[in-house]
Amino acid sequence: MAETRNGRTGGAAVTANGTAGRAWRNWAGNVSAAPARAVAPASVDELAAELRRAAEDGLTVKAVGSGHSFTSTAATRGVQVRPEALTAIRDIDRAAGTVTAESGVRLSQLNAVLAAEGLSLANMGDIMVQTVAGATSTGTHGTGRDSGSMAAQIRGFELVTADGSVLTCSAERNPEVFAAGRIGLGALGVVSAITFAVEPMFLLTAREEPMRFDRVMAEFDQLVAENEHFEFYWFPHTDGCTTKRNNRSQGPAAPVPPLRGWIDDELLSNGVFQAACALGKAVPAAIPGIARVSSRALSARTYTDIAYKVFTSPRRVRFVEMEYAVPREAAVSVIRELKAMVEASDLRVSFPVEVRVAPADDIVLSTASGRDSAYVAVHMYRGSGYQRYFTAVERIMVAAGGRPHWGKIHTRDAEYLSGVYPRFGEFTQLRDRLDPERLFTNSYLRRVLGA
């Protein structure tokens, strides 16, 4: 049944060749959709035509990226816009310090092209399988004392709106759309291209080492202040953490030796960890013991490499995730409360808790909008029961005024979100103007933005 703009379903539509849209499932496997039709426009004109056609047919539209979100933000039973034909790097402007990439370009492709040109993004998250539009539309971020999320590095974007119009948005052109649309949740239109700020390629020296939980808590503010990029992982059921400090380096490059890299990043972090998670799922009582071994498995290492190779890591063990941004000053108390909650419960958690930071930015629905933030992310192995754990964590985060990551599991609605985002009404008013008939709605957007 196809999804119409009022949220009801109607008879299934078909693609131009007479076949129904392809079934779609996200990376984690916890969200699926059966679109009435799936389209892969190869140009902005084709995209605009597909949006007008969907409107004529009374169907909703959602663009999908690589499926790395854990919410149903991209799910639709209407028209699914797929990214595989919008994958051109349109322009590299060295004078302006920018690169313009079409929406379906994956971060891995973008990084490779930039590196070949001697250029780099300032910061990014720890995986690079996402498309540029999918990553930015949901607020994907890494960790940084001074440099923010992927969306904070946007200098302009091209947006195709509900009536098929094409808007060029920047701080100078359509600034109100630029302010909101850098993290637009797919609610304002379909992003067809993005212009990012870039800079000359640089090296990062990564220092990774184990550290006791109490020491990390005692020195958290200092570790954040003294390092350009700081993050840590706490292993539940233990007092062990792994810390990561990445700082710019004059070189020379000294990458992780291939054998050591394979042992740490493939064998231990993926192969052995996959087996440990599978064992923990089958025998939950074994998880605390596994956690104690895992917390000691990776030894300290220091290496220097080009930025994106330090920022990113392979992630082959599949999981589901919840992440909240809390005010930076609340980070230590929130993390301590989370640890105490796990230790006082009968929960068995096989995945480490990840903590990162970001500076305040000016994007309307950014989780760091207007405040320096700390991110606390919790994970569970795919197929494991996660609801009790995530519910308990969410209770702690909400009490601290937390903002949920738009692409990760949470239960918040428009009433709550309007209270933690001072500019929430600015976004919904713009949505009313650009998409009054709700061409781009779905169940997730009705919950988080309102009808």
Side-chain angles (χ1 to χ4, degrees), residues 4 11 48 73 135 160 171 177 191 202 246 279 321 327 332 334 387 399 417:
T4 57
T73 183
V160 185
V177 183
V191 173
F202 58 92
N246 300 332
L279 174 61
E321 181 177 0
V332 170
V334 162
Q387 288 83 356
L417 295 165

Side-chain angles (χ1 to χ4, degrees), residues 371-387:
R371 71 186 192 192
D372 292 345
S373 299
Y375 294 94
V376 181
V378 296
H379 314 70
M380 286 290 277
Y381 183 54
R382 185 175 70 169
S384 302
Y386 64 84
Q387 288 83 356

Side-chain angles (χ1 to χ4, degrees), residues 53-69:
R53 180 185 170 205
E56 291 167 359
D57 293 342
L59 297 175
T60 57
V61 177
K62 294 305 296 181
V64 65
S66 65
H68 230 278
S69 289

Side-chain angles (χ1 to χ4, degrees), residues 88-94 96 98-102 114 194-195:
I89 304 293
R90 291 188 183 175
D91 180 60
I92 295 176
D93 188 333
R94 292 180 177 276
T98 60
V99 60
T100 300
E102 291 185 335
L114 290 176
I194 300 175
T195 298

Side-chain angles (χ1 to χ4, degrees), residues 135-439:
T136 55
S137 293
T138 55
T140 296
H141 62 90
T143 189
R145 180 190 61 202
D146 308 307
S147 53
S149 69
M150 291 286 300
Q153 299 170 66
I154 293 176
R155 295 297 174 262
F157 61 88
E158 185 178 80
L159 183 73
V160 185
T161 61
D163 63 0
S165 299
V166 181
L167 296 182
T168 299
C169 306
S170 67
E172 295 76 34
R173 301 181 64 182
N174 297 301
E176 75 288 355
V177 183
F178 179 72
R182 283 172 285 171
I183 298 178
L185 314 183
L188 305 178
V190 177
V191 173
S192 49
I194 300 175
T195 298
F196 292 99
V198 294
E199 58 184 279
M201 188 166 63
F202 58 92
L203 297 172
L204 287 174
T205 292
R207 179 181 173 189
E208 302 174 0
E209 65 177 321
M211 194 177 289
R212 302 290 289 177
F213 179 87
D214 285 342
R215 181 184 169 192
V216 176
M217 293 295 93
E219 299 179 10
F220 180 76
D221 290 336
Q222 179 182 349
L223 288 165
V224 170
E226 292 180 351
N227 295 281
E228 292 177 77
H229 308 277
F230 173 73
E231 64 185 302
F232 75 91
Y233 296 83
W234 166 61
F235 293 83
H237 315 295
T238 80
D239 287 318
C241 298
T242 293
T243 61
K244 295 187 175 186
R245 286 170 270 189
N246 300 332
N247 291 284
R248 296 199 183 208
S249 170
Q250 295 301 311
V256 177
L259 179 59
R260 174 72 186 275
W262 180 82
I263 291 172
D264 287 352
D265 300 327
E266 290 294 346
L267 179 62
L268 295 178
S269 296
N270 284 292
V272 173
F273 188 54
Q274 170 80 49
C277 288
L279 174 61
K281 179 183 175 184
V283 188
I287 287 176
I290 294 170
R292 287 190 289 272
V293 174
S294 297
S295 68
R296 297 191 295 267
L298 296 176
S299 57
R301 66 180 186 178
T302 299
Y303 58 96
T304 301
D305 211 336
I306 61 175
Y308 83 86
K309 293 184 178 182
V310 175
F311 286 137
T312 64
S313 303
R315 291 285 184 268
R316 310 198 200 288
V317 182
R318 303 207 178 200
F319 53 83
V320 293
E321 181 177 0
M322 168 184 281
E323 182 181 72
Y324 267 78
V326 297
R328 180 86 61 82
E329 62 271 17
V332 170
S333 62
V334 162
I335 297 160
R336 286 190 180 279
E337 186 175 357
L338 192 163
K339 184 173 186 284
M341 179 275 292
V342 171
E343 292 174 345
S345 74
D346 62 355
L347 292 166
R348 295 294 178 261
V349 182
S350 58
F351 260 80
V353 174
E354 182 181 21
V355 179
R356 295 174 287 178
V357 298
D361 63 43
D362 63 350
I363 305 170
V364 175
L365 290 187
S366 168
T367 46
S369 183
R371 71 186 192 192
D372 292 345
S373 299
Y375 294 94
V376 181
V378 296
H379 314 70
M380 286 290 277
Y381 183 54
R382 185 175 70 169
S384 302
Y386 64 84
Q387 288 83 356
R388 283 183 59 226
Y389 178 40
F390 284 14
T391 297
V393 170
E394 189 169 42
R395 190 176 298 119
I396 295 169
M397 301 302 158
V398 166
R403 297 168 177 170
H405 189 299
W406 296 107
K408 299 179 183 180
I409 294 169
H410 67 93
T411 68
R412 300 299 88 192
D413 60 15
E415 181 179 6
Y416 174 84
L417 295 165
S418 65
V420 294
Y421 283 98
R423 300 169 67 187
F424 188 84
E426 183 180 329
F427 189 94
T428 56
Q429 289 171 19
L430 181 63
R431 183 190 185 206
D432 287 341
R433 175 162 71 84
L434 294 181
D435 187 20
E437 301 299 322
R438 298 297 188 260
L439 180 69

